[in-house]
Amino acid sequence: VLGVTAGRDTTKDATLADGNYATINWQLVGTGVSSYDVTVFQNDNTTVQCATVNVSAQTAQYNFSNCALTQGLTYKARVIAKGGAGNTT
């Protein structure tokens, strides 16, 4: 994960400085990837805050426009690359 952006905050880093709807940004893995699973967790890294979405292999960001985050709390984003057979990387 390269970082999070939202609103006027266009710096891909660990801090959401503007807005409540995060865009998670990552680097594309390359060949052999058919899609990515993207999830936002609460700080405990187990409680799902924003449900997992599956995006195409050509996508390097996802905006959780239907999942508001609360300013001042800590969240963790996870991006998992999936191969054609559903294998994770």
Side-chain angles (χ1 to χ4, degrees), residues 4-62:
V4 61
T5 57
R8 294 176 304 224
D9 177 11
T10 59
T11 303
K12 297 174 185 172
D13 58 17
T15 304
L16 186 62
D18 183 54
N20 295 84
Y21 298 95
T23 298
I24 309 303
N25 302 274
W26 61 91
Q27 184 172 338
L28 297 177
V29 173
T31 60
V33 174
S34 61
S35 65
Y36 294 94
D37 282 346
V38 187
T39 312
V40 175
F41 294 91
Q42 291 181 9
N43 194 39
D44 65 8
N45 212 24
T46 57
T47 305
V48 174
Q49 180 69 28
C50 301
T52 301
V53 291
N54 183 264
V55 299
S56 77
Q58 293 77 33
T59 303
Q61 67 177 9
Y62 182 79

